[in-house]
Amino acid sequence: MKQAQIEQTFQQELQSLIASGVWDPYGDFQAIVKKYVSSDEVLAESDVACFRADLKERANRIPLGHILGYSDFMDCRFVVGTGVFVPRQQSAMLLEWLKTRLPVASDAVIYDLCSGTGAIGISAWRQHRGTRVYCLENDETAYQYLCRNIHRLADEGSVVALNKDITDLSFFLDKRQSVDVVISNPPYVPEAESLLPEWEKHHPEKAIYSGKDGSEIIDASLRLAETVLKPGGTVIVEHGESQIAMVKDLFTRYQFESVFTHTDPLFSDQTGPAVMTLGTKK
Ligand SMILES: C[S@@+](CC[C@H](N)C(=O)[O-])C[C@H]1O[C@@H](n2cnc3c(N)ncnc32)[C@H](O)[C@@H]1O
């Protein structure tokens, strides 16, 4: 079946996708077509059942990345799947800042907390090749994806996966004042908040929710940053738009200086705004 016929033939599936409430039904449809349609633009008869099943899953709000098996972020294709957080374009704001606004020494040590697939840490290393990046992740499934992505996309001597819980400081106590930049996109959603099904039902709870007001892992990120950063080092944390005052308060409690929040509509999309707060260690 030629590409031009596919939309016509699968009208019913496309209509179900539209009715399901996904925010970009045509984009998702085309992304799933691409998974099957080869360069000669043909959907093989033997692929039709799988193609239909993928469309059905997407209409059931399974994240697109989990259906495709990959997610494109910055200049890379990251392996993703059930049980791991699919990187969001919002996080590109943090990397853009790192690239253009923050002087990162060529041999800097960077920690990427709550690393998931490693999208942020690996991208940070790819734009600052001389640096050493430690990606910290405590979930076993996410950790497997992290290791795969490092293996595929980075130099394994320079980007290191650590299967660590960031709320437990014991591993980090002898690493005081050794790190130049700490970045974190932690789980930050308050536990009672309702989200789109992609996140509420089809992502691991611990990748999304973080206590009553969503602050538990933000707090842990700052506590760890305060421990390991060199004086003058920078911490950058992504969070929700409604949490700006609470997050600034936490930065102040850990005595970070020059604290400010940056929201950038360029990186925001239908799934939410891009928001991060930055601070410097005294
Ligand atoms: C919102 S996801 C972000 C993943 C990745 N940074 C990204 O932007 O694609 C949060 C990640 O934090 C991890 N996480 C949650 N609690 C953690 C903890 N205490 N220590 C380490 N990682 C944690 C989750 O398993 C999940 O992979």
Side-chain angles (χ1 to χ4, degrees):
M1 191 183 306
K2 294 276 188 192
Q3 175 114 25
Q5 295 170 281
I6 295 174
E7 202 172 303
Q8 270 185 331
T9 311
F10 295 95
Q11 245 329 294
Q12 204 181 327
E13 285 79 1
L14 180 56
Q15 290 311 317
S16 301
L17 207 50
I18 295 166
S20 76
V22 301
W23 54 94
D24 184 13
Y26 291 100
D28 289 3
F29 185 87
Q30 285 309 331
I32 296 170
V33 168
K34 251 198 191 164
K35 177 175 165 186
Y36 294 98
V37 173
S38 54
S39 51
D40 59 357
E41 293 203 2
V42 176
L43 175 66
E45 204 44 50
S46 55
D47 283 337
V48 165
C50 287
F51 177 63
R52 196 165 263 135
D54 282 357
L55 291 172
K56 198 168 156 197
E57 275 207 311
R58 186 66 193 106
N60 274 337
R61 310 299 295 265
I62 303 293
L64 180 65
H66 290 174
I67 295 167
L68 299 178
Y70 65 81
S71 174
D72 292 331
F73 179 78
M74 302 297 287
D75 64 340
C76 286
R77 180 156 285 188
F78 287 83
V79 178
V80 301
T82 300
V84 72
F85 186 84
V86 181
R88 296 169 81 211
Q89 293 312 315
Q90 281 85 343
S91 302
M93 170 180 67
L94 190 158
L95 288 151
E96 182 64 19
W97 192 278
L98 214 56
K99 189 171 168 184
T100 58
R101 309 282 285 272
L102 197 73
V104 178
S106 56
D107 60 349
V109 175
I110 300 174
Y111 271 24
D112 173 29
L113 312 185
C114 300
S115 206
T117 57
I120 298 178
I122 292 170
S123 302
W125 176 78
R126 288 175 68 89
Q127 59 188 33
H128 299 279
R129 293 277 173 150
T131 57
R132 195 169 174 80
V133 178
Y134 293 90
C135 296
L136 279 54
E137 171 58 55
N138 75 334
D139 178 81
E140 196 48 52
T141 303
Y143 181 73
Q144 298 301 327
Y145 281 102
L146 172 62
C147 294
R148 281 182 69 190
N149 283 312
I150 290 175
H151 188 69
R152 291 164 68 98
L153 301 168
D155 162 12
E156 286 170 281
S158 305
V159 182
V160 179
L162 294 175
N163 195 187
K164 296 288 171 204
D165 179 347
I166 67 157
T167 64
D168 177 3
L169 281 190
S170 54
F171 174 79
F172 303 98
L173 291 177
D174 63 351
K175 293 163 185 67
R176 283 183 192 278
Q177 305 202 350
S178 65
V179 175
D180 300 276
V181 182
V182 173
I183 49 191
S184 180
N185 178 22
Y188 56 72
V189 179
E191 62 194 11
E193 195 168 310
S194 180
L195 297 173
L196 295 174
E198 282 79 357
W199 288 279
E200 189 172 310
K201 281 177 68 181
H202 301 297
H203 267 83
E205 208 179 308
K206 286 204 168 115
I208 306 294
Y209 293 98
S210 185
K212 214 167 177 193
D213 62 358
S215 72
E216 277 176 18
I217 305 297
I218 297 175
D219 186 301
S221 297
L222 293 174
R223 184 152 31 97
L224 178 51
E226 198 276 327
T227 306
V228 297
L229 275 176
K230 296 173 182 169
T234 301
V235 56
I236 311 178
V237 180
E238 281 190 60
H239 55 86
E241 202 177 23
S242 63
Q243 295 172 314
I244 293 174
M246 178 266 284
V247 171
K248 277 188 164 163
D249 211 48
L250 283 174
F251 268 69
T252 308
R253 211 176 303 161
Y254 285 103
Q255 303 194 333
F256 288 104
E257 294 182 325
S258 312
V259 175
F260 67 99
T261 298
H262 181 67
T263 305
D264 197 329
L266 255 185
F267 296 95
S268 305
D269 62 21
Q270 294 101 315
T271 66
V275 186
M276 64 184 184
T277 294
L278 301 88
T280 307
K281 168 103 184 262
K282 253 196 217 170

